[in-house]
């Protein structure tokens, strides 16, 4: 997706909150040492654009975002957990 990493898993979950809101979460796994959060963020934007493309015929006012990193384990910079969600 973003970097040439050996991905070992990608999981996408969706939740339709109401007629205007679809939330989704991307989980990406790799045996590589860095960059996997960029793969997840790239996947999230691609999913959002795909949903927009499917809905644009009846609603061009859809808004994408926010997209953010919730959690990351390992890599050069170590673990990360977003606390202000």
């Amino acid at each position: 997706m973003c970097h040439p990493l050996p991905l070992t898993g990608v999981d996408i979950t969706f939740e339709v909150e109401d007629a205007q809101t679809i939330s989704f979460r991307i989980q990406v796994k790799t045996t590589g040492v860095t960059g996997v959060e960029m793969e997840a963020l790239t996947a999230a934007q691609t999913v959002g654009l795909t949903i927009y493309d499917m809905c644009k015929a009846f609603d061009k006012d859809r808004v994408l975002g926010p997209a953010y990193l919730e959690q990351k384990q390992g890599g050069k910079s170590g673990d990360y957990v977003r606390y202000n969600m």
Side-chain angles (χ1 to χ4, degrees):
M1 286 177 268
C2 182
H3 297 110
L5 293 176
L7 298 181
T8 58
V10 177
D11 185 43
I12 303 171
T13 56
F14 296 88
E15 179 182 339
V16 178
E17 297 180 20
D18 55 48
Q20 298 296 316
T21 307
I22 301 172
S23 295
F24 46 90
R25 177 173 288 164
I26 315 295
Q27 182 178 20
V28 179
K29 294 180 181 180
T30 185
T31 57
V33 294
T34 189
V36 75
E37 69 274 18
M38 293 306 299
E39 303 308 311
L41 290 166
T42 300
Q45 295 299 329
T46 302
V47 168
L49 289 168
T50 301
I51 292 170
Y52 178 87
D53 188 44
M54 292 186 293
C55 296
K56 71 182 179 188
F58 59 88
D59 183 4
K60 289 181 177 48
D61 289 333
R62 295 270 173 186
V63 175
L64 301 177
Y68 53 87
L69 181 64
E70 280 187 6
Q71 180 178 329
K72 166 183 119 48
Q73 294 176 328
K76 284 184 180 180
S77 61
D79 295 351
Y80 170 81
V81 175
R82 183 183 182 97
Y83 290 105
N84 55 350
M85 288 191 279

